[in-house]
Amino acid sequence: MFKTLFLVVLTTALINNVVLSQFLGICSFIGVSKNIKTAAGMGGAVIFVITIASAVTNLLYTGVIQKLGLEYLNTIIFILVIAALVQFIELFLKKYVPKLYQALGIYLPLITTNCAVLGVALTNVQDGNDFITSVVTGFGTALGYAVAIIILAGIREKTESNDVPKAFKGTPAVLLTACLMAIAFYGFNTLA
């Protein structure tokens, strides 16, 4: 069982990276990757939220949605649950862990609109994952997101002062870098 769960983490983090192979969460991936510190903050917040959202949506799906025959409402219900979960986490941290709340700052509300969170919840349902596998899949996916955004931020910091042709400055350079990262991550397919 442990070996299978380890392979789930490895597969979701590296081989099927949510950003670089599934292209989910691109907005925050590009927008928040200007420096390593903010990228790490976003990555940590995403790990926390996706892991908890995977657990909650799995319990909700198996305990309520399936039993009531409301599978056609998965997307709408999961969006509402994820938004409420992020708001609950934000209020909890603000009241009981203010230092962590201040450290995460704007990243928690940004996660509500991160399509990677919804993508993981829907993929877990589509694949028929049990509770443990759903949570591990969520964690692995979020870990992959964090690794990718931190690597991109590191590359952006190192290349910021480079002499780049005017046509490639800014977003084009970031997209080219992300493309090269996707090609590099494709090499992890040999692990499977």
Side-chain angles (χ1 to χ4, degrees), residues 19 34 40 49 70 78 108 126 140 160 163:
V19 177
K34 293 181 181 174
V49 170
L70 300 173
F78 288 174
L108 274 174
Q126 185 179 24
E160 187 176 287
D163 188 25

Side-chain angles (χ1 to χ4, degrees), residues 67 144 151:
K67 290 183 179 174
I151 290 172

Side-chain angles (χ1 to χ4, degrees), residues 63-97:
V64 178
I65 295 172
Q66 262 187 333
K67 290 183 179 174
L68 296 177
L70 300 173
E71 289 89 353
Y72 61 94
L73 293 174
N74 280 348
T75 304
I76 294 169
I77 293 171
F78 288 174
I79 289 171
L80 294 172
V81 166
I82 290 165
L85 180 63
V86 170
Q87 289 299 312
F88 174 74
I89 291 168
E90 190 174 1
L91 291 171
F92 177 82
L93 291 177
K94 188 175 185 178
K95 185 169 183 168
Y96 296 107
V97 193

Side-chain angles (χ1 to χ4, degrees), residues 34-133:
K34 293 181 181 174
N35 67 55
I36 293 175
K37 186 176 180 183
T38 57
M42 182 65 164
V46 166
I47 288 172
F48 185 69
V49 170
I50 287 182
T51 304
I52 291 174
S54 295
V56 170
T57 55
N58 179 277
L59 291 173
L60 183 65
Y61 181 77
T62 57
V64 178
I65 295 172
Q66 262 187 333
K67 290 183 179 174
L68 296 177
L70 300 173
E71 289 89 353
Y72 61 94
L73 293 174
N74 280 348
T75 304
I76 294 169
I77 293 171
F78 288 174
I79 289 171
L80 294 172
V81 166
I82 290 165
L85 180 63
V86 170
Q87 289 299 312
F88 174 74
I89 291 168
E90 190 174 1
L91 291 171
F92 177 82
L93 291 177
K94 188 175 185 178
K95 185 169 183 168
Y96 296 107
V97 193
K99 287 187 179 185
L100 181 59
Y101 173 77
Q102 289 173 347
L104 293 176
I106 190 70
Y107 305 121
L108 274 174
L110 279 176
I111 294 170
T112 303
T113 60
N114 189 333
C115 59
V117 182
L118 178 62
V120 172
L122 292 173
T123 301
N124 279 332
V125 167
Q126 185 179 24
D127 293 346
N129 291 341
D130 61 14
F131 178 76
I132 303 258
T133 307

Side-chain angles (χ1 to χ4, degrees), residues 130-146:
D130 61 14
F131 178 76
I132 303 258
T133 307
S134 291
V135 172
V136 171
T137 299
F139 174 76
T141 301
L143 182 66
Y145 176 90

Side-chain angles (χ1 to χ4, degrees), residues 7-50:
L7 289 174
V8 168
V9 170
L10 185 68
T11 301
T12 55
L14 300 177
I15 298 168
N16 294 326
N17 186 283
V18 70
V19 177
L20 300 173
S21 71
Q22 297 177 25
F23 308 112
L24 295 174
I26 293 288
C27 299
S28 58
F29 178 68
I30 301 289
V32 185
S33 62
K34 293 181 181 174
N35 67 55
I36 293 175
K37 186 176 180 183
T38 57
M42 182 65 164
V46 166
I47 288 172
F48 185 69
V49 170
I50 287 182

